[in-house]
Amino acid sequence: MPTTKRRQLLANALCAAALSTTTISACSATPASDAIIEPVASIPALNARARRRGMFYGAAVNHEALIKDPATMARVDAECGMVVGEASFKWEAVHPAANRYDFSQSDALLAWATKHEIRTRGHALVWHEANPEWLTSTINSGNAEKLLTDHIKTVAGRYAKRLAHWDVVNEALDDVPGRQPLGLRDTIWLRALGPAYLDIAFHATAAADPQALRVLNDYGTDYTIPWQERKRAAMLELLSTLMHRGVPIQAVGLQAHLDAAEITLDQKVLSRFVADIASMGLKVIVTELDVRDDRLPADIPSRDIAVADHAKAWLDAVLPNPAVLGVLTWGLSDRHSWLNTKFPRPDGLRQRPLPLDEELNRKKLWSALAT
Ligand code: G3I
C-alpha cells in the first residue's frame, strides 16, 4: 500500500480514535464514499502502537479493579503490554506482619497478567510510604539491613524471572535537596542505614532476581520550577555517585505525574535531562503518567484537550530518546485515579487524568499517547 495511503489511513484512524467513533468518514480527507469503515476495536491499541516504535505501553492496576471491575480489566487487556500494581507489591500489602507475608494481591495481579500474556513490573521494594506499622515502629540501625535484605530476598525471590522490572527504591530524593546527604529524602531507611540503604537494596535485588530490570523511581523532575530544577540536578548527582560506587542500577523511572495547569514545561530542559540519564548508560521508563486537571475550568472538552496537549508536549520531549523503554499511565481509566483523593477538584467534579474516561471511552489523551 503506497505510503501516503497508509499514512492517510493511520491519520484517519487516529482521528476516529479521538472521536471514539466507528467510522472514519468524519475525519477522512477522502470523500465519505471512499472512506473505509473501521470499527474502533480494530484500531491498534496503545501497546501495539508503542511496539511499532520499539517501546511498550502499560498501566497501573489497583486490586479493587482487578477483582471487581471486569470491564476495566478487559480494556487493560486490550490496550496494555505491561501492568504494575498500584499497591499490590508494596510492604503493607505483601509483608503485613513481621513474621508473615501475604502475596494474595501480588499473586492475583501476576496471575491475571500471565494469563493475558502481559508483562508485570514490581513496585516497590523500598519506599517511605505504605510501610506497615510493625516495620516503622521496630526498625533501627541494628536490624534494618536484615529487615531490608530478608524482605527483598523473599519478595523479589518469589517472583524471580517473572517480572520485567522492579522499582527497587521509590522516591529516594528529597523535594528540598540539601537537607540530607546526596539530596536524599529523610526516611526510615536513611536514618537506619544512611545512603548505603540504596546500595544494599539494589545489590539484594540483583541477587534475588538478576533478570528484572532494576529501577530508581521518582517524581518532580518535569518542570522548570526551582524545586524541580534542583531535583533533576540531585537525581543526576545521585545516579553518578551510586554508579561510581558500583550500585547495580539499570534504569530510572520518571513518574510523570503532570499538571495541565503548569506552564513551566520546557521541552529542551526535559530532553536534556533524559539525555543526561541515558549518557550514563541507563534506561528510562515513564512509570506513572497522569495529568491532574483540578486547576482547570470545569468544561470537559477543553479539559480533555488541555490534558492531552500537555501530556503530548511532555512525551514529545522524552520519547524520542532511544533509552526510553516505554510508558505506563497511573491507571487506564478515570474510574480509578488517586488524583480524586489527593487533589480533589474544588467544583467537586471528577478529574479526567487518564487515557479512558469513566465509561471506558478513548479520550484525547489516548490519541496523544497513540501518536
Ligand atoms: O488494600 C486496602 C484495602 O484492603 C482496604 O480496605 C482499603 C481501605 O483502607 O485500603 C486498601 O489499601 C489502599 C491501597 O492504596 C490500595 O487501594 C491504601 O489504604 C492506600 O493508602 C493506597 O494508596 C496508594 C498509595 O500509592 C499508597 O500506597 C494509591 O492507590 C496509589 O495510587 C499511590 O501510588 C503512588 C506510587 O506508589 C508512587 N508514586 C506516587 C503514587 C501516587 O501517590
Side-chain angles (χ1 to χ4, degrees), residues 74 88 124 146 222 287 354:
S88 306
K146 187 174 188 318
D222 311 300
T287 51
L354 292 167

Side-chain angles (χ1 to χ4, degrees), residues 62-64 86-87 90 92 105 123 127 129-130 170-171 217 219 255 257 288 330 338:
N62 72 41
H63 189 64
E64 284 292 291
E86 196 166 353
K90 293 173 179 172
E92 67 182 359
Q105 292 192 19
H123 172 83
W127 192 24
E129 290 190 29
N170 189 43
E171 302 176 7
N217 190 50
Y219 69 91
Q255 292 185 12
H257 289 298
E288 307 182 15
W330 203 240
W338 68 293

Side-chain angles (χ1 to χ4, degrees), residues 288-324:
E288 307 182 15
L289 176 67
D290 52 22
V291 188
R292 60 185 278 203
D293 68 11
D294 54 294
R295 296 196 292 160
L296 296 184
D299 177 66
I300 286 178
S302 52
R303 248 200 283 165
D304 284 358
I305 289 168
V307 161
D309 288 352
H310 194 85
K312 182 135 182 29
W314 192 95
L315 292 165
D316 286 351
V318 170
L319 297 191
N321 193 303
V324 178

Side-chain angles (χ1 to χ4, degrees), residues 23 46 49 79 83 105 130 133-134 150 155 157 218 228 245 247 268 275 352:
T23 65
L46 287 174
R49 295 167 184 279
E79 299 280 1
V83 288
Q105 292 192 19
E133 195 279 333
W134 73 263
D150 283 354
V155 179
D218 218 324
Q228 298 204 6
R245 286 208 305 245
V247 177
K268 288 189 178 63
R352 296 174 61 89

Side-chain angles (χ1 to χ4, degrees), residues 38-44 362:
E38 186 172 5
V40 167
S42 71
I43 294 172
R362 290 167 169 171

